[in-house]
Amino acid sequence: MRLLLIEDDAELANGLVHALAQSGHACDAAANGQAALSACAVTAYDLVVLDLGLPDVDGQDLLRQLRERGLAAPVLILTARDDVHERIRGLDGGADDYLAKPFALGELEARIRALLRRGQPSSTQLAFGRLQFDTATRCASVGGESIDLTARELAILELLLRRAGRVVGKQQLFDAIYTWEADANLSVIEVHVSRLRRKLETASAGVVVRMLRGLGYRLETGRDD
Ligand code: CA
């Protein structure tokens, strides 16, 4: 999933970006309102985490502007102002959830997972072929045996599973797992997919990642030919 973190505290932002990457999210960071507006203009985010105390704009005003410009993704607001009026204003202004600073990383991650599950089937379990994928624990398994996958392999697998049987473009996979700062190009997707494919085969997952030249990849059941 592709996330945008709008936070002017560089140390906190860096820490969160790294922690979220460990959980398989590609997270861009914007340090002010202007950077956030530019980011949202060019990237379709799955979720936005917005600190209300920003240097150039009031977070509540920024939220309104983002919604006016068509941002549809869930927004979780962070606020040092643990003030009930501020929270009500945020939720009324288009936020989906809030967390007061200081917060535990585990709680932020749980709230992000909950927001990303909205509009998805209520279960955290995805299944295809013999493969099971728990989106809450980020564990892929076959017959109860977990498969050892990297964060990026898990992110690719999740996207393919959510669209099982349908084609997912290489660029779509790339956008879901790499931030702009990543020194990578589209071809790395082929590397991740080939490793993922090998691991799925070794685990006898009963699914194959088929490449459709020029289109992308599709998760299918059965054997590769
Ligand atoms: Ca701040």
Side-chain angles (χ1 to χ4, degrees):
M1 294 286 165
R2 186 76 179 261
L3 272 51
L4 176 65
L5 171 65
I6 309 169
E7 167 63 72
D8 60 314
D9 178 335
E11 198 176 326
L12 177 61
N14 283 337
L16 289 178
V17 165
H18 279 105
L20 292 168
Q22 293 297 311
S23 308
H25 300 297
C27 186
D28 294 318
N32 55 55
Q34 207 46 53
L37 289 169
S38 306
C40 286
V42 295
T43 304
Y45 291 101
D46 298 298
L47 183 136
V48 173
V49 177
L50 165 66
D51 175 34
L52 288 184
L54 293 171
D56 59 338
V57 63
D58 176 68
Q60 306 270 14
D61 291 337
L62 177 62
L63 174 57
R64 205 190 56 249
Q65 288 181 57
L66 289 169
R67 289 298 188 211
E68 280 171 4
R69 293 178 187 202
L71 177 74
V75 173
L76 188 155
I77 51 177
L78 299 178
T79 174
R81 297 170 264 185
D82 191 16
D83 172 317
V84 68
H85 299 293
E86 200 61 47
R87 298 202 297 259
I88 291 169
R89 227 185 112 209
L91 294 168
D92 281 345
D96 297 272
D97 199 2
Y98 70 89
L99 204 50
K101 291 179 179 178
F103 53 83
L105 177 63
E107 185 174 6
L108 175 67
E109 294 194 312
R111 285 176 185 274
I112 287 173
R113 284 196 297 273
L115 287 172
L116 290 173
R117 276 201 302 274
R118 285 193 191 167
Q120 303 276 356
S122 61
S123 167
T124 62
Q125 296 286 336
L126 299 171
F128 197 63
R130 300 180 58 232
L131 181 68
Q132 297 278 332
F133 188 105
D134 188 320
T135 58
T137 60
R138 310 217 47 81
C139 176
S141 62
V142 173
E145 291 283 315
S146 69
I147 310 173
D148 188 20
L149 299 176
T150 64
R152 284 185 170 138
E153 289 162 358
L154 283 166
I156 288 174
L157 182 60
E158 180 175 2
L159 208 62
L160 289 171
L161 266 170
R162 288 190 186 280
R163 294 169 205 186
R166 286 178 283 161
V167 178
V168 182
K170 200 188 279 183
Q171 183 73 50
Q172 236 175 320
L173 288 173
F174 186 83
D175 288 346
I177 65 173
Y178 283 99
T179 61
W180 325 299
E181 281 162 26
D183 184 18
N185 63 54
L186 266 187
S187 63
V188 300
I189 295 298
E190 288 164 32
V191 177
H192 291 309
V193 167
S194 87
R195 288 188 192 137
L196 173 64
R197 194 183 265 147
R198 209 157 48 235
K199 291 179 183 180
L200 291 174
E201 195 184 325
T202 305
S204 304
V207 300
V208 291
V209 184
R210 186 175 303 279
M211 184 178 80
L212 297 117
R213 206 164 287 283
L215 292 175
Y217 299 95
R218 185 168 62 202
L219 195 65
E220 300 178 354
T221 52
R223 295 172 57 83
D224 207 344
D225 34 45

